[in-house]
Amino acid sequence: MDIREEFERNLRTLTEEIKQKANNAEDYEDKPVKKLILKPDKEVTTCKVVFDSERSQRKYTIIVHLLSKIYQMLNQGLTSTRRELYYKDVELLQSQDIVDEAIKIICCLLNTPPWQLGVFGTSKGLVAGHLVLQTNTKDTIDCLSPGGVLIPQDVLSLKPVSKAKFILIVEKDATFQTLLDEKILDRYKLILITGKGFPDLNTRLLVRLLTNTLKIPVFMIADADPHGMEIMCVYRYGSLTMSEHAQMLAVPEIHWLGVHPSDIEILHLTKIPFTRADEDKLNSLASRVYTLANTKLVKEIGILKKLNSKAEIESVSSLAKNNLTNFYIEFKIAANQLI
């Protein structure tokens, strides 16, 4: 087959399917994703804070203090990072961990995510490609800037403008930079995103925003190991630590393009022996509800267990010059080898 022609054809098919689903759905951009069962009831913990308890007084004081700061911000239309909240009152708050825990409790009390309270994490993710982000102050961020741009903090205030044909998420910053060095933005009209490992909230919010707004296919590349699979599942299904916000963050439309465990022997990739942590992570993934509901995921997990080893994205890159950009991505989409 002509790989380029099949690549373009499958890309068009996926795009048409997305638009058809959008046309058949009410309020596509605000639609909730399918309810996800991420954490069993037996693993759910509760926190009780009582003012007249000496043990709880400090925690109670910090929660009320931060609630007052959030109230002021909302009234003034301002936002803040958790780090900024900490540095404004270092003597009282004492550590960043204390602020993070208090914000989590506040979100549970109010049954709302932190970004709706104007509280954000410090962005670490990068975005590059055929995308312009318009801010609420009418400024524009051109993501074709060399090396990409840092994902803004107040993602929900952005208006994306793009003629990109697809979105590609990559697990690691190293792969992100490799693809830019291989001139991937010249070869394909796409949007490239990385959360630099486990993604922060702003990266996940941007992926969800772009998916709902642009209605184009979304693909992901991660290491063929339990950690890479976990990160792919966080983007697609949500994280266990923030399972209560999964419906506002998860993007089930994401196609896992690779690197698949089944690629390891087919492509003769360099194998790295499993560690005990890898085994524990794989067993955890294998038992999750969303994994068990996906036969392809179950199969790939079974392959990793059998191999008892893993492979990195870099081993695909090393097969040939510019292999990721000029062959691997295009072949996977052309052959419809997607999970």
Side-chain angles (χ1 to χ4, degrees):
M1 68 175 177
D2 186 308
I3 291 179
R4 188 69 183 190
E5 287 182 6
E6 285 297 309
F7 164 78
E8 296 285 357
R9 187 180 68 82
N10 283 348
L11 205 55
R12 286 195 300 270
T13 299
L14 290 170
T15 304
E16 288 168 5
E17 289 176 356
I18 291 168
K19 290 181 178 179
Q20 186 63 40
K21 287 179 182 177
N23 291 335
N24 293 336
E26 293 184 16
D27 299 323
Y28 180 86
E29 294 184 13
D30 298 319
K31 74 182 189 311
V33 301
K34 184 178 180 181
K35 185 172 177 60
L36 304 170
I37 303 172
L38 295 171
K39 189 179 293 183
D41 290 342
K42 64 182 179 181
E43 294 182 16
V44 176
T45 58
T46 59
C47 175
K48 187 175 182 180
V49 182
V50 185
F51 180 68
D52 60 6
S53 165
E54 184 177 346
R55 183 180 177 184
S56 295
Q57 281 181 354
R58 174 169 169 73
K59 184 179 286 188
Y60 186 95
T61 300
I62 289 172
I63 290 171
V64 172
H65 171 78
L66 290 174
L67 274 169
S68 70
K69 294 292 185 183
I70 290 169
Y71 179 76
Q72 291 172 19
M73 289 192 307
L74 292 175
N75 275 337
Q76 297 172 29
L78 301 175
T79 62
S80 175
T81 65
R82 294 193 300 270
R83 196 72 176 159
E84 288 169 341
L85 288 173
Y86 164 63
Y87 277 117
K88 286 176 182 177
D89 298 282
V90 174
E91 187 174 347
L92 169 66
L93 301 173
Q94 294 186 353
S95 80
Q96 184 67 57
D97 288 343
I98 290 174
V99 176
D100 294 344
E101 182 187 8
I103 292 296
K104 189 170 185 179
I105 292 172
I106 288 169
C107 290
C108 290
L109 284 171
L110 300 179
N111 192 29
T112 191
W115 58 88
Q116 290 188 355
L117 299 176
V119 179
F120 297 89
T122 303
S123 288
K124 66 167 183 169
L126 297 172
V127 56
H130 300 265
L131 171 69
V132 173
L133 297 171
Q134 297 180 349
T135 70
N136 55 6
T137 58
K138 307 302 180 185
D139 293 326
T140 59
I141 302 169
D142 187 353
C143 298
L144 273 175
S145 300
V149 299
L150 189 67
I151 293 172
Q153 287 174 172
D154 192 0
V155 172
L156 297 183
S157 69
L158 300 173
K159 179 182 178 182
V161 179
S162 176
K163 292 184 178 180
K165 292 185 177 181
F166 65 98
I167 299 164
L168 180 62
I169 307 166
V170 293
E171 175 190 347
K172 299 183 289 191
D173 182 40
T175 308
F176 183 89
Q177 300 302 332
T178 295
L179 290 170
L180 291 180
D181 290 343
E182 291 179 1
K183 308 296 183 184
I184 191 171
L185 300 181
D186 294 339
R187 187 174 178 86
Y188 309 110
K189 186 168 281 190
L190 59 73
I191 298 168
L192 191 65
I193 296 173
T194 182
K196 295 183 178 180
F198 196 93
D200 61 311
L201 280 177
N202 295 331
T203 302
R204 294 170 63 190
L205 283 169
L206 180 64
V207 172
R208 180 75 191 270
L209 174 67
L210 295 178
T211 303
N212 287 348
T213 305
L214 303 179
K215 302 178 182 63
I216 55 177
V218 191
F219 306 103
M220 178 159 186
I221 296 179
D223 286 338
D225 68 3
H227 187 69
M229 292 182 71
E230 166 88 354
I231 289 172
M232 183 277 294
C233 289
V234 166
Y235 280 107
R236 185 190 281 185
Y237 302 112
S239 67
L240 297 181
T241 56
M242 295 195 69
S243 57
E244 67 273 22
H245 303 311
Q247 290 194 336
M248 289 174 276
L249 290 168
V251 183
E253 297 90 344
I254 290 173
H255 300 279
W256 182 24
L257 182 149
V259 177
H260 299 145
S262 52
D263 291 335
I264 295 176
E265 293 198 319
I266 293 172
L267 300 178
H268 304 290
L269 303 180
T270 301
K271 296 178 184 177
I272 303 171
F274 263 7
T275 64
R276 180 60 184 270
D278 290 327
E279 293 174 2
D280 292 343
K281 176 65 68 178
L282 193 62
N283 289 331
S284 172
L285 282 168
S287 64
R288 295 180 191 173
V289 174
Y290 56 70
T291 302
L292 295 171
N294 188 315
T295 55
K296 290 183 178 179
L297 270 182
V298 171
K299 180 181 178 181
E300 295 298 327
I301 287 173
I303 291 171
L304 271 187
K305 283 186 175 181
K306 183 179 179 181
L307 291 174
N308 199 35
S309 59
K310 57 191 178 181
E312 297 181 328
I313 302 169
E314 287 80 358
S315 62
V316 176
S317 298
S318 65
L319 294 175
K321 184 179 180 181
N322 297 348
N323 188 52
L324 276 175
T325 295
N326 293 349
F327 179 74
Y328 187 78
I329 293 169
E330 198 165 297
F331 174 80
K332 283 286 187 173
I333 296 174
N336 201 27
Q337 292 185 3
L338 307 169
I339 297 176

